[in-house]
Amino acid sequence: MQQAITIFHFLFQGVLLFQVILFGYLYASSQKKEMVYFAIFLFLLLVNFLLNSTELYGITDHANFMYSKVYNFINTPIVIIANIFYIMFLKTFYTGFTKSKLFFQILNVLRITLICALIGFFILFFFDIISNLLFNILHLLGIIAGIWLAILIYKEKLPFGKFMVPGFVANLTGTLCTVILLLFQNIHTDHVLVRDYPYTFIQLGLLIEILFFNLAIVSKWTRLEREEAIFDLKSELAIAQLRSQLSKELHDDIGAELSGINLYSHMATTQSSAGKMEEATKSISVIRDSSTKVINRLKDIVWAINPVENELQNLMDKIEEFARYVVNAVGIQVELKIPENLPILNFSSQIKHHLFLISKEVINNAVKYSKATHVVIQAGHKNGIFSLMIKDNGIGFNVNNVPQGNGLSNIKRRAQEINAVLDIKSSPQAGTAVRVSCAMK
């Protein structure tokens, strides 16, 4: 039995060393903080178990070393600091994968408790108060907190629970057995496990936990890669849809304008040759207006497909620029409202394009039909939903009896193409408010 336990000790230390090297390499290649936190946690465990099994390596006289001031000074702090990094690993591992406030609150309380315990230890050591009581209390608190976390992960069905919960249970079981053996050791119980191998069970529990945590990490990376692949696929699909939409608009809108320019240029040439200068001037004026529309439309298309300008602020600046340009001649006041606490949002080119064109349509309607004096453009974000609202203080209209030619059908079509919810509120003499809301990742 003694030989088997000795072999297990060497195996355990070898596994810890391999894991430290592995996760150190993974951090160096991926720069993921959870990797370095787990590597530091395992390294400190490796040092701790080396300190508690010096007789296996013939480093020093184990009995004298265990009761030396050096051992008492470094053993407990190493365990405390290791557990701090363990908590930091769990916190980083689950960040972005759960919105459970209680889970992170428990981890924060544990981290603060451990920091206070570390400070308390050094204060006691300064006054030469050396006791295993703090060490055992921390282990018992860790068991209680671990049980709580395991129950929380299982109850709230947090991601990777099928790996994390068994890992917690294995570690907690091993830790509890070791704490019991250490308590028997303090009352001088004469048993081979109590006397020589009290840390065997916690080592076995840790080995099982490390195995399950490795599976959890691999599962997380697989999930991230799958989500990234899905995101790339959706992005490619969105780009294809945007290209199709832009192609259609180039053909329908700009193509029609260019055909008109071509027609009027021939008319202007014919009219000029015939000496009809007044009519030729009118034709040239139409050509000028149409070419201006084409230039502006092309600018909008170039802006829509530019990924550098896919942020919320760029979208709102573009909408405000268009609004002020359109209403400048009619004396309508434009007000832009973006809350200060609004998160930084990035749009796909397709969503940005349709939101801008919806805004243009609504603003044009306000200028042409509403007789408004004030237009408010407001952005908001709540629970992952972005909303853009444009409202005016004009004469309004009956939503159930929409006048023809005001572009509302285009607004509805564009909202549907980006899976957005369109809400139009208006009534005679009460102004109009158009809100479009879409989910943001």
Side-chain angles (χ1 to χ4, degrees):
M1 178 179 178
Q2 182 175 356
Q3 184 178 6
I5 293 179
T6 301
I7 293 173
F8 171 74
H9 274 280
F10 282 112
L11 174 65
F12 175 76
Q13 302 284 18
V15 170
L16 281 186
L17 181 59
F18 171 75
Q19 289 283 300
V20 169
I21 296 172
L22 173 63
F23 282 99
Y25 170 77
L26 290 175
Y27 170 72
S29 58
S30 68
Q31 296 298 306
K32 295 181 182 293
K33 289 184 179 180
E34 63 200 53
M35 298 295 102
V36 72
Y37 292 152
F38 199 55
I40 294 173
F41 162 68
L42 294 173
F43 174 75
L44 292 173
L45 286 184
L46 177 65
V47 173
N48 176 253
F49 285 114
L50 282 173
L51 291 174
N52 287 277
S53 56
T54 54
E55 77 282 0
L56 295 176
Y57 306 95
I59 297 175
T60 184
D61 182 22
H62 182 67
N64 291 332
F65 179 70
M66 291 288 287
Y67 293 99
S68 68
K69 195 167 185 178
V70 173
Y71 174 83
N72 289 319
F73 179 72
I74 60 178
N75 183 55
T76 300
I78 285 178
V79 173
I80 295 174
I81 296 172
N83 280 283
I84 290 174
F85 279 100
Y86 180 78
I87 289 168
M88 292 171 69
F89 159 73
L90 290 176
K91 186 175 180 180
T92 309
F93 181 81
Y94 270 107
T95 297
F97 278 87
T98 177
K99 295 181 180 179
S100 174
K101 293 182 180 179
L102 181 58
F103 179 79
F104 292 109
Q105 286 172 352
I106 294 173
L107 293 180
N108 287 332
V109 169
L110 288 174
R111 182 169 57 88
I112 293 171
T113 301
L114 288 170
I115 293 173
C116 292
L118 184 64
I119 296 172
F121 169 83
F122 285 122
I123 293 173
L124 292 174
F125 191 86
F126 179 78
F127 290 102
D128 285 331
I129 301 175
I130 300 173
S131 173
N132 289 325
L133 180 62
L134 178 62
F135 186 81
N136 292 329
I137 289 175
L138 288 175
H139 272 303
L140 289 172
L141 288 176
I143 292 171
I144 295 171
I147 293 172
W148 194 1
L149 286 174
I151 293 173
L152 182 64
I153 291 174
Y154 176 78
K155 185 177 179 181
E156 297 197 7
K157 297 180 180 180
L158 300 189
F160 322 112
K162 63 181 180 180
F163 301 121
M164 302 299 285
V165 171
F168 277 133
V169 171
N171 187 3
L172 295 173
T173 304
T175 302
L176 181 60
C177 292
T178 293
V179 169
I180 293 172
L181 291 177
L182 290 174
L183 291 174
F184 279 120
Q185 189 181 74
N186 288 338
I187 60 175
H188 306 290
T189 301
D190 188 18
H191 188 277
V192 62
L193 289 176
V194 175
R195 183 179 63 253
D196 298 328
Y197 306 105
Y199 293 99
T200 301
F201 291 98
I202 193 172
Q203 291 174 340
L204 182 61
L206 279 168
L207 274 182
I208 298 173
E209 182 184 51
I210 289 170
L211 171 63
F212 278 108
F213 277 15
N214 275 262
L215 293 173
I217 290 169
V218 171
S219 178
K220 178 182 176 180
W221 284 8
T222 303
R223 178 170 170 176
L224 288 172
E225 288 180 358
R226 183 170 62 250
E227 289 178 350
E228 185 176 348
I230 293 173
F231 177 79
D232 290 342
L233 184 62
K234 287 182 177 179
S235 298
E236 291 178 6
L237 180 60
I239 291 173
Q241 291 174 338
L242 179 62
R243 286 174 177 171
S244 176
Q245 179 67 30
L246 292 178
S247 176
K248 183 176 182 300
E249 292 178 4
L250 282 170
H251 178 271
D252 294 346
D253 298 343
I254 296 180
E257 293 290 346
L258 290 176
S259 296
I261 290 173
N262 182 56
L263 175 62
Y264 275 97
S265 64
H266 284 294
M267 288 177 59
T269 302
T270 302
Q271 291 162 349
S272 177
S273 300
K276 301 177 181 179
M277 301 308 297
E278 184 176 349
E279 293 180 4
T281 302
K282 290 181 179 179
S283 296
I284 292 172
S285 178
V286 172
I287 292 172
R288 183 180 62 249
D289 292 341
S290 295
S291 62
T292 300
K293 289 180 182 179
V294 170
I295 292 171
N296 291 333
R297 195 74 186 89
L298 287 173
K299 286 181 178 179
D300 290 344
I301 291 174
V302 171
W303 171 82
I305 62 177
N306 186 357
V308 178
E309 299 186 12
N310 280 4
E311 293 184 355
L312 169 64
Q313 190 60 54
N314 288 320
L315 172 63
M316 300 307 294
D317 288 345
K318 185 71 173 177
I319 294 173
E320 183 184 23
E321 177 188 352
F322 172 78
R324 296 194 185 282
Y325 170 77
V326 170
V327 305
N328 184 51
V330 293
I332 297 177
Q333 181 183 0
V334 176
E335 182 180 0
L336 189 70
K337 291 184 178 180
I338 302 180
E340 293 183 358
N341 60 346
L342 195 66
I344 296 175
L345 300 175
N346 289 311
F347 300 90
S348 68
S349 294
Q350 185 187 26
I351 292 177
K352 179 185 70 171
H353 177 63
H354 284 294
L355 286 177
F356 176 63
L357 293 182
I358 288 172
S359 301
K360 284 183 67 174
E361 199 78 59
V362 175
I363 293 168
N364 275 327
N365 285 346
V367 172
K368 291 179 181 179
Y369 309 116
S370 73
K371 299 181 181 179
T373 59
H374 187 228
V375 172
V376 177
I377 304 170
Q378 184 173 348
H381 184 268
K382 186 177 182 181
N383 298 327
I385 303 297
F386 169 77
S387 64
L388 175 65
M389 183 176 70
I390 301 174
K391 61 181 180 179
D392 62 60
N393 63 347
I395 60 174
F397 60 93
N398 189 338
V399 177
N400 298 321
N401 185 22
V402 181
Q404 297 296 320
N406 64 358
L408 289 182
S409 58
N410 288 334
I411 294 174
K412 292 178 181 178
R413 176 179 56 82
R414 293 189 183 281
Q416 289 175 351
E417 290 186 7
I418 57 174
N419 296 318
V421 177
L422 182 66
D423 182 26
I424 302 175
K425 292 182 179 179
S426 183
S427 59
Q429 309 307 319
T432 301
V434 178
R435 181 191 299 271
V436 57
S437 304
C438 56
M440 299 294 297
K441 291 186 177 180

